[in-house]
Amino acid sequence: MAMKVKHFGHVHERFTAPVSQRYDCGRMCAPLNGGEPVCCTTDNAVPVVERAEYKYLKKRTDLWRGFKPTDAASRQIVDELAPSCLAIECKGAAHCEREHRTVACRSFPFFPYFTKEKEIIGLSYYWTFEDRCWVISNLQIVEQEFVDQLIEAYVYIFEHDEDEEEAYIDQSASMRRVFSRSGRVIPIIGRDGKIYKILPKSGGKIIDANIEEFAALEPFTSDEAYREAIEEADGDPAGKTLSPDWSIKDWWNND
Ligand code: SF4
Ligand code: SF4
């Protein structure tokens, strides 16, 4: 079985919620990435889609085109794709059309997390982006509507595509291995809205947690660290802070 064009229509119509209505996270990571949001540049993340999703999008927009590898790493991504998949790229963040984003765009930086028992308990994130994606350092901003819609979208996709389900079961197992090896705790945003954690070398056991246990990661730990990282990325750190027009603290206090 595989997702068909009409199935992607079903998903695109229902999975529309942003990670957060309140925060434009792209403003926080773009200074680290030449002014473009990290997940919107193929230097960082090459969108991979099912051919049926590309067909669905091509009928509606000219935002997307096939991705042409520019170096050995991106050539490898393209070479290793399953025959049903395609690497694509959009015209860039300045031309983004929200209704024509891929499922991968809509989900980033999260994926449905499977327990060892192959049950979807909630979301976790693509950890290789921890050093560039501001959302990963601010999990408290993730809204329930986004969690609900992401889970619903993927459950639907898995009903139509067993390989896709297997890929996320593997992705979750891989996260457990990587985090266990480095002695790190995995944060999970539960589909019930609660926060859970998995301790290293615990056999994947899910236990209750508090969002406060998951501190921001470098370089989102302080304005100083943030500005240093912007400078290292050849950006202009002048005036850049982790709370430009709003304050997370105010948000916590107001809610
Ligand atoms: S999801 Fe992460 S990488 Fe993408 S725009 Fe937001 S902060 Fe940047
Ligand atoms: S379609 Fe929008 S969200 Fe997706 S990669 Fe392009 S600019 Fe980013």
Side-chain angles (χ1 to χ4, degrees):
M1 277 216 304
M3 285 281 286
K4 296 199 166 75
V5 174
K6 64 176 180 190
H7 297 139
F8 280 104
H10 178 101
V11 172
H12 281 222
E13 276 162 27
R14 287 162 182 79
F15 185 12
T16 55
V19 169
S20 162
Q21 305 271 0
R22 182 156 185 163
Y23 299 99
D24 180 2
C25 59
R27 286 174 51 207
M28 301 311 293
C29 67
L32 298 160
N33 187 48
E36 292 282 314
V38 167
C39 59
C40 299
T41 48
T42 50
D43 290 350
N44 289 294
V46 179
V48 172
V49 293
E50 289 285 326
R51 286 178 188 275
E53 186 173 21
Y54 188 53
K55 211 166 165 187
Y56 174 80
L57 287 166
K58 284 303 270 182
K59 277 189 186 159
R60 286 162 177 79
T61 177
D62 65 354
L63 176 65
W64 295 96
R65 59 171 180 250
F67 169 71
K68 289 199 177 66
T70 47
D71 54 20
S74 55
R75 160 64 46 209
Q76 192 181 354
I77 292 172
V78 171
D79 288 349
E80 289 176 356
L81 286 176
S84 64
C85 292
L86 205 60
I88 59 174
E89 65 184 323
C90 75
K91 290 179 179 172
H95 307 278
C96 187
E97 298 165 15
R98 287 193 62 78
E99 70 280 24
H100 296 136
R101 290 169 303 147
T102 63
V103 175
C105 297
R106 295 166 199 235
S107 316
F108 195 88
F110 298 102
F111 67 86
Y113 179 87
F114 279 87
T115 62
K116 266 184 125 172
E117 293 71 37
K118 302 188 179 175
E119 182 200 344
I120 306 173
I121 189 180
L123 328 181
S124 202
Y125 56 74
Y126 294 105
W127 62 92
T128 54
F129 290 90
E130 282 175 332
D131 61 342
R132 285 155 289 161
C133 174
W134 175 86
V135 169
I136 294 175
S137 278
N138 291 278
L139 298 177
Q140 74 279 8
I141 69 161
V142 179
E143 292 171 4
Q144 187 66 44
E145 193 182 13
F146 171 79
V147 176
D148 293 343
Q149 290 188 10
L150 184 149
I151 298 286
E152 206 178 295
Y154 278 95
V155 166
Y156 181 85
I157 291 170
F158 299 153
E159 277 167 14
H160 292 87
D161 188 340
E162 287 163 6
D163 290 346
E164 195 69 2
E165 182 170 27
E166 213 45 57
Y168 284 101
I169 290 171
D170 288 351
Q171 171 77 13
S172 305
S174 169
M175 188 171 198
R176 286 192 290 277
R177 269 196 308 278
V178 170
F179 275 59
S180 265
R181 247 185 260 135
S182 51
R184 295 186 57 199
V185 176
I186 298 178
I188 304 287
I189 301 175
R191 55 196 296 177
D192 58 5
K194 295 182 186 158
I195 301 294
Y196 298 94
K197 65 182 172 187
I198 299 165
L199 299 177
K201 301 188 174 38
S202 66
K205 192 173 165 209
I206 311 282
I207 50 179
D208 292 347
N210 289 312
I211 193 71
E212 290 82 2
E213 293 176 45
F214 301 104
L217 303 161
E218 292 283 348
F220 301 108
T221 46
S222 67
D223 286 345
E224 206 179 19
Y226 181 49
R227 283 196 283 259
E228 237 168 65
I230 294 172
E231 207 160 3
E232 269 169 33
D234 293 329
D236 178 8
K240 301 288 191 312
T241 75
L242 289 171
S243 310
D245 299 321
W246 37 263
S247 149
I248 294 280
K249 266 203 196 102
D250 289 346
W251 181 70
W252 278 112
N253 292 338
N254 289 338
D255 277 328

